[in-house]
Amino acid sequence: MEARLERAMQKRQVLFLCVFLGASWAGAEQLQYFVAEETERGTPLTNLAKDLGLGLGELSARGARIVSDRNTGFLLLSPLTGDLILNEKLDREELCGPTEPCVLTFQLLLENPVQIHRAALHVKDINDNSPVFLDKEIPLKILESTTPGATFLLERAQDSDVGTNSLSNYTISPNAYFHIHVHDGGEGTVFPELVLDQTLDREETAEFTLTLTALDGGSPPRSGTALVRILVLDINDNSPEFVQSLYRVQLPENTPVGSLVIAVSARDLDTGSYGQIAYAFFYATERILQTFQINSTTGHLYLKAELDYEAIQTYSITIQAKDSGGLSGKCTVVVEVLDVNDNPPELLMSSLTSPIAENSPETVVAVFRIRDRDSGNNGKTMCSIPHDLPFVLKPSVENFYTLVTEMPLDRESHSEYNITITVTDLGSPRLTTQHTITVQVSDINDNAPAFTQTSYTLFVQENNSPALHIGTISATDSDSGSNAHITYSLLPTHEPQLALASLFSINADSGQLFALRALDYEALQTFEFHVGATDQGSPALSSQALVRVLVLDANDNAPFVLYPLQNASALCTELLPRAAEPGYLVTKVVAVDRDSGQNAWLSFQLLKSTEPGLFSVWAHNGEVRTSRLLSERDAPKHRLLLLVKDNGDPPRSASVTLHVLLVDGFSQPYLPLPEVAREPAQDEDDALTLYLVIALASVSSIFLLSVLLFVGVRLCRRARAASLGGFSVPEGHFPGHLVDVSGAGTLSQSYQYEVCLRGDSGTGEFKFLKPILPNFQDHPLESEMGGNSNCRNDLGFGIQLK
C-alpha cells in the first residue's frame, strides 16, 4: 500500500514539473518562470536567448551571466545554448518558509553593452511534508461537571507545506464522548477543538486515550498523529479568563534584550488552589521560545533575544493561564517588529574592467548593485563618487549602476585612479558604506620621443682615434613599456658626397655617438646631420634632432714654402745690386700653413748666412733685406738658410735656402708694377693672419693676370714696353713680356729683361731673369750671373708682385 502511494506521488510530481517548467511573462518588465520544488538538478527551465529574442551565440558574446542576492547559485546559464538550468534541488520550505508565493528574483546581466533583465523564479510547493505534532502526547484535564458541548482547544500540528498541501483537517479516534471540531484561526491556520458530547462520570471512566490525526490537503494526503490523554477531574467550575483575548504591541528591532514586552493578566473566580494561575506559552514554535520568555507567576513577557525586522516582522504568541485544577484560558499576543536603520547599504560588484586603455571613448569601468536590507526610507539609497574624477555614475534598473569614463583618460597625467564609491541610505541616522576600486590606465603610443635639445653641438679634435666617443644624444618618451623604449639612428643626409655612415655611428640604445675614423680639419671643418629617435610602439613614433660636429684644428701641418720653391730642378738666384742701401728688399719668402688660427701664424727666422750681419729677415712677413751697405770685400755669392715656423703646440717648421748674387751697375734693381686689382679676400678676424690673407689673394690675382699676359703675348708678339725711367703700365694690364732697361744708372748699356709671372707664386715683386742682348754670350752680366735662366725653369717668375 505504501509503495503504491509513493508511486502515485512520484507521478504527481512529474505532472507538476511538466506544468510549471514553462516560462511566462509577468508584464513587460520582468520575466516569470515556474518550477516545482525538489526538481532534479540539471533540469532546463527555459531558453533565455529565445525569450529575449537574441541569437544563439549572442549571450556568450555579450558576457551574459546570472546575478542573484543569494550566495549560492541556484541557477546556471549556458552561454552557448542559452538554456537556463536548475543548478540545485530547491526546497521551498527552506527558501521561503510559510511565505506564499515563494519567489526567487534574479537578474540577467549582459555586459557588452550593459543590459539588465529582471526575472523571477516561482517555486511551487509539492506535498513533501507530513503534519507533525510537537508533542506526541497531549494531556488534558476535564472536570466531570463539564456540560456537554464544551470545547477544548488542542495543540495544532505543524505542516511546512503551504496552500492546498498545508494542514486542512483533524480527526480523532471514534468514541462516545468526544468529537473534533476544526476551528479556523485565520491566515490559513486551523486548530482542533475537542467537543464534549455527553456528561463525564469520573467514577465510571477516569481517563480517556484518544488518537488525534492531522491531515493535509495534498494528493495523496499526508497525516500525523498524537495521543490525547484526558483525565476527568473533580469539579473546578471556573476557568481562568484573560482581561483581553488579544494583545497587540509594537517593538523596535533594536529593543534591548531583557526588556518587558507586555504584561498579560487573567482572573479565576475559584478559591484556593483552583484560583492560583500559572502563565505559560501554549505550544509555541521554536523561534518564539528562542526570542521570548514569560514569568509564570506575573504574566510578564520579556525579550529573550534580539529582534531582526529583516528576518521576521510579526510574532503571534498564544499564552495560556492555567489554574491548579487544570482549567485554563488563553489569549494571543501579537508582537509587531518595527524597522530601524540598522543595516548599512551594501555594494555588490558585478563586473570590473581594469586596466582601461588611455584615449578610449566612453568606457564601462564597473557594473554594481546597491542593496539595503532595511525598509521604507531606511532602505532607500544614494550613490556618488568624488567630483574631481573623470568618471560618472549612471543609474540603471533594480538599483544597478554603471561607472563609465566621462572623457578619454591620459596615462601620462594619471596612470591609476582610486575611485571611492559612497552609498548613503535615507534613514535616521543615515548609514554610509564606502567601496574603493582601483582602475589602472594602460598606455598607448601617443607620445613621440622628445630630445633634450633641438640641436647638439659636439667638438672633436682632428686626428682622433677611431671609435672615439664624441658625445651622447638623449631623448625621453612619456609613454611606458615598449612604447617608451627608444632606438637611436643616423638619418640619411641630403649631401651625397658626405659618407655619413663611414664617419660616425650611434649606439641604438644609449644614443652615444662615435667617430669611426680620424677626422681631418683641413678636409672638412663642420659636419651637420640629423639623429632620429624612434620608440617601439605600434605604430612607432619618432622625432629628430640636428647634430653639428665641429672639428677642432690640431697642428698637424708644417708650413709650406711657396717661394722660393725648394724642389726646383735648378736653384733660383736673387740679384742684389752692390749699391743697394741698408734695408734694401732682396726678396720675400712666401709660405702658407693648412692649419688655422694660431697653428697657421707663421714667423720667419734667419738661421744661417754666408756673411753674418749682412742680411736680416722680418719675422712676420718673410722679407729679406740688407742690414748694411755692401762693400767690395763682400762675397759675390751668398747662401741664406731661413726657418719658417708656425705658432702651434708643439710648433712645426720648414726651412728654405736662398741664393743671392751681387751684381754691379744696377741703379734700379727692380721695377714697380702698377697695382693689380685684387679679388675680395675672405674675412678673417685674426689681425696676425693678415699677411697670409693678402698673400693668398695675390696668388689668385697673379694667376688670372698670368692668363691675361699669356693671351697678350700671343697676340702682341713681344710688344715694346716703356723705358725704365718712364716705365708705366696701364692699370690691370702689362704691355708685353719684355722690359727695356736703358743704360742709365750703374749699367753700361741698355738691357732687355724678360718678365714672367705665375699665379701661385704668392709674392708681389718683380724679378729680373736675364738680359736679352744682341751679343748675349759676350756680356759680362751673363757670365757674372752664371746663366740665371734656371730661375724660370719651374717657377716662371720674372717679376714678383707685392
Side-chain angles (χ1 to χ4, degrees):
M1 182 66 180
E2 291 180 357
R4 197 177 307 162
L5 289 174
E6 185 68 22
R7 284 195 299 271
M9 289 177 63
Q10 291 178 356
K11 291 180 179 180
R12 295 194 61 169
Q13 289 177 1
V14 172
L15 180 60
F16 275 104
L17 175 63
C18 295
V19 172
F20 297 128
L21 277 181
S24 63
W25 297 86
E29 297 183 355
Q30 191 174 43
L31 302 173
Q32 305 289 333
Y33 301 99
F34 298 85
V35 66
E37 68 171 330
E38 302 298 332
T39 299
E40 290 296 326
R41 178 173 179 248
T43 301
L45 302 181
T46 186
N47 189 285
L48 287 177
K50 293 181 180 179
D51 294 346
L52 298 177
L54 301 176
L56 185 59
E58 192 170 351
L59 285 178
S60 176
R62 294 183 62 180
R65 55 196 179 95
I66 300 298
V67 179
S68 173
D69 287 345
R70 299 184 175 273
N71 295 329
T72 59
F74 59 94
L75 293 176
L76 182 65
L77 175 63
S78 174
L80 298 178
T81 62
D83 289 334
L84 183 64
I85 301 170
L86 193 64
N87 196 34
E88 63 183 26
K89 277 188 177 184
L90 301 180
D91 187 351
R92 195 208 65 80
E93 288 74 25
E94 181 181 350
L95 293 173
C96 301
T99 304
E100 179 67 17
C102 181
V103 180
L104 303 180
T105 60
F106 63 96
Q107 295 82 30
L108 174 64
L109 174 61
L110 303 177
E111 291 186 355
N112 186 24
V114 175
Q115 189 176 5
I116 299 168
H117 295 277
R118 299 180 301 158
L121 179 64
H122 295 257
V123 181
K124 288 295 185 177
D125 182 54
I126 64 174
N127 193 21
D128 58 341
N129 291 282
S130 299
V132 175
F133 290 91
L134 296 180
D135 295 326
K136 294 301 182 181
E137 185 173 313
I138 303 174
L140 183 61
K141 296 179 180 180
I142 301 177
L143 290 175
E144 62 178 345
S145 59
T146 303
T147 59
T151 60
F152 304 91
L153 189 62
L154 301 178
E155 173 192 357
R156 74 182 184 92
Q158 306 290 330
D159 194 340
S160 300
D161 295 324
V162 295
T164 58
N165 295 325
S166 64
L167 190 63
S168 62
N169 194 19
Y170 292 90
T171 61
I172 200 166
S173 58
N175 63 93
Y177 292 89
F178 301 93
H179 73 273
I180 287 295
H181 176 262
V182 178
H183 176 69
D184 189 357
E187 299 180 355
T189 60
V190 291
F191 295 89
E193 287 185 336
L194 187 64
V195 181
L196 183 60
D197 292 332
Q198 59 181 350
T199 303
L200 297 175
D201 185 0
R202 181 182 179 281
E203 286 71 22
E204 183 178 350
T205 304
E207 181 178 343
F208 295 88
T209 300
L210 305 176
T211 299
L212 178 63
T213 302
L215 300 172
D216 61 22
S219 178
R222 288 177 174 266
S223 63
T225 60
L227 292 179
V228 180
R229 292 189 180 277
I230 304 172
L231 295 177
V232 181
L233 303 178
D234 286 340
I235 295 176
N236 179 21
D237 54 353
N238 289 289
S239 300
E241 292 182 4
F242 282 91
V243 178
Q244 296 177 225
S245 60
L246 179 63
Y247 293 85
R248 290 188 177 272
V249 63
Q250 292 181 334
L251 286 180
E253 61 176 324
N254 61 349
T255 301
V257 175
S259 299
L260 177 65
V261 177
I262 197 172
V264 296
S265 178
R267 297 175 299 174
D268 194 323
L269 299 179
D270 293 324
T271 60
S273 61
Y274 293 128
Q276 296 177 358
I277 299 175
Y279 299 93
F281 292 122
F282 183 74
Y283 297 110
T285 63
E286 188 68 23
R287 187 178 292 273
I288 291 176
L289 294 176
Q290 292 174 353
T291 308
F292 300 95
Q293 65 180 3
I294 190 169
N295 188 306
S296 61
T297 304
T298 62
H300 289 179
L301 184 64
Y302 294 96
L303 189 62
K304 184 179 179 181
E306 292 182 350
L307 300 176
D308 187 3
Y309 174 85
E310 289 70 37
I312 297 178
Q313 294 80 38
T314 304
Y315 293 89
S316 181
I317 307 170
T318 301
I319 298 177
Q320 176 180 259
K322 182 184 293 186
D323 60 20
S324 59
L327 299 180
S328 63
K330 299 175 181 64
C331 73
T332 301
V333 178
V334 177
V335 179
E336 182 180 352
V337 182
L338 301 180
D339 183 41
V340 297
N341 194 24
D342 60 341
N343 290 284
E346 300 175 69
L347 190 148
L348 307 175
M349 188 65 63
S350 297
S351 67
L352 175 63
T353 303
S354 179
I356 301 294
E358 65 173 330
N359 299 335
S360 299
E362 181 178 294
T363 304
V364 176
V365 178
V367 179
F368 60 91
R369 184 166 57 93
I370 303 301
R371 180 178 65 186
D372 195 316
R373 298 184 183 276
D374 295 320
S375 62
N377 287 335
N378 297 332
K380 296 179 180 179
T381 59
M382 298 184 302
C383 189
S384 64
I385 60 173
H387 298 290
D388 57 346
L389 296 178
F391 299 92
V392 65
L393 281 177
K394 292 185 177 181
S396 185
V397 298
E398 289 289 331
N399 290 327
F400 272 91
Y401 289 85
T402 56
L403 178 66
V404 299
T405 56
E406 190 175 21
M407 62 186 69
L409 305 180
D410 184 12
R411 191 205 64 83
E412 288 69 39
S413 298
H414 288 87
S415 61
E416 179 180 287
Y417 290 90
N418 291 319
I419 307 171
T420 300
I421 304 173
T422 303
V423 184
T424 305
D425 62 24
L426 301 181
S428 179
R430 295 190 174 185
L431 299 180
T432 299
T433 297
Q434 289 187 333
H435 185 85
T436 300
I437 61 176
T438 300
V439 177
Q440 305 283 344
V441 182
S442 61
D443 184 50
I444 65 173
N445 195 25
D446 59 343
N447 290 280
F451 282 94
T452 55
Q453 301 173 216
T454 56
S455 63
Y456 296 81
T457 301
L458 307 177
F459 298 91
V460 184
Q461 191 78 26
E462 71 170 327
N463 302 322
N464 57 283
S465 59
L468 176 67
H469 176 223
I470 62 175
T472 301
I473 309 302
S474 178
T476 59
D477 197 313
S478 301
D479 295 320
S480 66
S482 61
N483 296 332
H485 186 79
I486 298 176
T487 301
Y488 300 92
S489 62
L490 298 178
L491 300 182
T493 63
H494 299 292
E495 301 178 11
Q497 70 275 14
L498 180 59
L500 184 62
S502 65
L503 295 176
F504 301 100
S505 70
I506 189 169
N507 188 299
D509 296 323
S510 64
Q512 292 181 330
L513 276 171
F514 298 90
L516 298 180
R517 60 182 177 87
L519 303 179
D520 186 6
Y521 173 84
E522 288 71 35
L524 192 59
Q525 293 83 32
T526 304
F527 300 88
E528 284 191 357
F529 54 90
H530 286 85
V531 172
T534 305
D535 59 30
Q536 294 185 0
S538 180
L541 300 179
S542 63
S543 61
Q544 59 182 353
L546 176 66
V547 177
R548 183 181 294 108
V549 179
L550 301 181
V551 182
L552 302 179
D553 183 45
N555 194 23
D556 59 342
N557 291 283
F560 178 76
V561 179
L562 297 177
Y563 179 80
L565 194 63
Q566 298 300 295
N567 61 351
S569 59
L571 297 177
C572 180
T573 303
E574 306 290 340
L575 300 180
L576 174 63
R578 287 184 177 273
E581 297 292 329
Y584 177 82
L585 177 63
V586 178
T587 187
K588 182 176 182 178
V589 178
V590 180
V592 294
D593 195 317
R594 293 182 64 192
D595 295 321
S596 65
Q598 292 187 359
N599 297 329
W601 296 354
L602 302 181
S603 61
F604 301 85
Q605 181 182 356
L606 180 60
L607 294 179
K608 185 178 180 181
S609 66
T610 305
E611 189 72 32
L614 179 58
F615 299 97
S616 64
V617 177
W618 287 25
H620 297 300
N621 59 8
E623 293 179 351
V624 179
R625 296 179 180 270
T626 59
S627 298
R628 60 176 174 82
L629 290 173
L630 298 173
S631 65
E632 293 296 332
R633 293 177 299 178
D634 292 327
K637 294 183 179 180
H638 293 266
R639 181 176 180 272
L640 307 180
L641 180 62
L642 286 80
L643 179 69
V644 183
K645 182 172 64 175
D646 60 25
N647 199 34
D649 184 20
R652 291 178 176 269
S653 62
S655 62
V656 57
T657 302
L658 293 177
H659 295 269
V660 179
L661 178 65
L662 300 184
V663 295
D664 295 323
F666 279 88
S667 60
Q668 287 287 20
Y670 66 95
L671 297 177
L673 285 179
E675 294 185 0
V676 180
R678 297 186 181 95
E679 292 181 353
Q682 61 180 2
D683 294 333
E684 293 288 345
D685 295 335
D686 198 338
L688 295 180
T689 61
L690 180 61
Y691 290 107
L692 179 61
V693 175
I694 295 174
L696 293 176
S698 300
V699 169
S700 301
S701 301
I702 291 172
F703 174 74
L704 295 176
L705 190 57
S706 300
V707 174
L708 294 175
L709 287 176
F710 177 76
V711 175
V713 169
R714 300 288 293 177
L715 295 178
C716 298
R717 296 292 183 183
R718 306 174 66 90
R720 298 285 297 175
S723 65
L724 183 62
F727 178 77
S728 63
V729 180
E731 184 175 355
H733 300 278
F734 288 103
H737 78 292
L738 296 178
V739 179
D740 184 24
V741 180
S742 66
T746 61
L747 299 179
S748 60
Q749 54 183 299
S750 299
Y751 294 88
Q752 286 184 345
Y753 286 86
E754 187 173 341
V755 179
C756 298
L757 295 175
R758 279 177 66 99
D760 58 351
S761 64
T763 181
E765 298 179 359
F766 283 99
K767 186 75 173 179
F768 297 99
L769 296 181
K770 67 177 181 177
I772 303 175
L773 301 175
N775 191 7
F776 183 79
Q777 291 80 4
D778 299 332
H779 196 274
L781 180 63
E782 173 65 19
S783 61
E784 188 173 3
M785 294 179 62
N788 199 26
S789 61
N790 292 334
C791 182
R792 49 195 297 264
N793 288 345
D794 296 322
L795 295 178
F797 279 99
I799 298 176
Q800 196 173 27
L801 288 178
K802 188 173 182 180

